[in-house]
């Protein structure tokens, strides 16, 4: 790939086109190995079309203490590779390896810059006092009293043992509201109170039990936010907060606020 980029840049008469060199220090996804450094350096020194803007790698387990030894090994591997490059290049590219967990837990490996990822959303791996910056909310479409013995939703999996106030919210698995939240598997917050999901989550809608909340049609239902952390949803789904965030489909309207 580097050869292709260099040839393309030379064809267009470009010089010093910035490229970023990744080192595979143990993630084994992308990047050069330590044994590739001599050939890589020779290729870089033999041309003027590209210039290395940064040398970087990616930590595989920086968020878990059980992998700390491996993280230190990755950092040492990265430093060995990057040192072999920057000591032979006539300029000094930026070095970076830390993701959010690395920023919090390994300050000795901050190098020239860091890559803050999920930390931008207020999620911490080490108890840092970060603020939540995103909320997913919808509004109540309807509320009705459903009698004892009635079942809710597709498959009739939720059967009421007493009359309950059941509200419908216009969000479903096509929006990223996971179907595993069905039948008391998840909750939303209405008027400061947690309301369980009843029945199966539908493609475009879900039903929640708002009994005792004084909820009204048009009220907000918070899927996640300050009072219902993304981490809690991820735990219920046995996944990670990244998946919860990235599962929100494109049809969900994004509203941005800035100061």
């Amino acid at each position: 790939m580097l050869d292709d980029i260099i040839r393309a840049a030379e064809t267009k008469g470009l010089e010093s086109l910035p490229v970023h060199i990744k080192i595979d220090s143990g993630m084994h996804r992308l990047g050069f190995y330590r044994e590739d450094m001599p050939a890589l350096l020779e290729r870089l020194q033999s041309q003027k079309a590209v210039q290395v803007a940064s040398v970087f790698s990616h930590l595989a387990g920086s968020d878990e203490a059980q992998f700390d030894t491996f993280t230190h090994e990755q950092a040492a591997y990265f430093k060995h590779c990057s040192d072999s490059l920057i000591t032979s290049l006539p300029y000094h590219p930026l070095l970076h390896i830390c993701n959010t967990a690395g920023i919090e837990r390994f300050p000795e490996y901050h190098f020239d810059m860091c890559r803050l990822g999920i930390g931008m959303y207020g999620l911490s791996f080490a108890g840092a006092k970060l603020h939540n910056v995103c909320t997913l909310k919808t509004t109540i479409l309807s509320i009705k009293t459903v009698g004892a013995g009635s079942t809710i939703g597709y498959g009739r999996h939720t059967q009421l043992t007493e009359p309950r106030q059941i509200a419908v919210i216009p969000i479903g698995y096509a929006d990223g509201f996971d179907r595993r939240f069905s039948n008391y598997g998840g909750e939303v917050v209405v008027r400061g109170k947690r309301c369980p999901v009843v029945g199966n989550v539908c493609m475009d809608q879900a039903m929640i039990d708002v009994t005792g909340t004084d909820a009204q049609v048009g009220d907000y239902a918070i899927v996640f936010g300050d009072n219902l952390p993304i981490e809690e949803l991820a735990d219920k789904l046995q996944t990670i907060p990244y998946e919860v965030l990235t599962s929100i489909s494109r049809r969900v309207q994004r509203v941005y606020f800035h100061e």
Side-chain angles (χ1 to χ4, degrees), residues 46-57:
S46 68
Q47 54 78 51
K48 296 182 180 180
V50 304
Q51 180 171 311
V52 180
S54 79
V55 182
F56 70 105
S57 191

Side-chain angles (χ1 to χ4, degrees), residues 191-245:
R191 296 200 173 196
K193 296 183 179 180
R194 295 199 175 200
C195 301
V197 177
V198 291
N200 280 334
V201 173
C202 308
M203 183 184 296
D204 308 297
Q205 300 170 32
M207 288 71 73
I208 58 174
D209 189 337
V210 295
T211 306
T213 65
D214 296 323
Q216 302 292 322
V217 170
D219 282 351
Y220 284 129
I222 308 299
V223 176
F224 61 72
D226 292 340
N227 297 318
L228 187 50
I230 296 174
E231 297 97 323
E232 185 174 326
L233 274 69
D235 288 344
K236 288 181 177 179
L237 296 173
Q238 296 185 321
T239 186
I240 55 176
Y242 296 85
E243 183 177 357
V244 176
L245 285 168

